């Protein structure tokens, strides 16, 4: 389809995150921050090619709502949940700092 995304190129690749986040501070104010995580923490899985027939590969149509939801890496998810519980964050160098909420 002309002008459409090449969605299949996003499958089975390591993905990071970037964008704008809103953080609520302890005093109740909300601040904006830009985030860029270059580490591989997400992946959009796809069935291995040898487990599909040629007809199945040809017939596969990407449903952007169902097929493009990334899966968060298990260890990253555990670390994020631990940080949320403690209120602390860790930067790329492993330095821990106290969070503001």
């Amino acid at each position: 389809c002309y002008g459409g995304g090449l969605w299949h190129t996003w499958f089975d690749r390591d993905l990071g995150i970037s964008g704008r986040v809103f953080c609520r501070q302890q005093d109740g104010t909300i601040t904006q921050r830009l985030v860029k995580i270059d580490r591989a923490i997400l992946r959009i899985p796809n069935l291995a090619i040898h487990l599909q027939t040629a007809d199945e590969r040809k017939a596969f149509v990407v449903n952007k709502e169902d097929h493009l939801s990334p899966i968060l890496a298990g260890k990253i998810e555990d670390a994020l949940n631990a940080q949320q519980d403690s209120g602390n964050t860790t930067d790329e160098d492993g330095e821990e700092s106290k969070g503001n909420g």
Side-chain angles (χ1 to χ4, degrees):
C1 133
Y2 180 78
L6 297 174
W7 302 117
H8 67 277
T9 63
W10 290 95
F11 289 102
D12 294 322
R13 297 181 70 182
D14 292 333
L15 302 172
I17 294 178
S18 64
R20 182 184 314 260
V21 296
F22 293 86
C23 303
R24 184 179 308 275
Q25 304 298 313
Q26 286 181 337
D27 64 2
T29 61
I30 296 176
T31 59
Q32 302 181 50
R33 296 189 183 142
L34 295 178
V35 175
K36 182 178 180 186
I37 301 174
D38 286 329
R39 295 183 307 208
I41 62 171
L42 298 169
R43 179 173 285 259
I44 301 172
N46 193 21
L47 186 61
I49 195 167
H50 66 278
L51 297 176
Q52 299 173 340
T53 66
D55 292 336
E56 288 173 326
R57 286 192 298 274
K58 288 179 189 173
F60 181 69
V61 176
V62 177
N63 177 325
K64 290 178 249 179
E65 291 181 13
D66 293 334
H67 297 138
L68 295 179
S69 297
I71 295 176
L72 188 61
K75 289 190 177 205
I76 300 295
E77 184 175 15
D78 294 343
L80 289 172
N81 287 334
Q83 290 172 6
Q84 184 179 10
D85 293 342
S86 69
N88 297 337
T89 58
T90 305
D91 65 16
E92 284 188 17
D93 299 325
E95 298 293 325
E96 191 171 285
S97 62
K98 293 284 183 192
N100 288 337

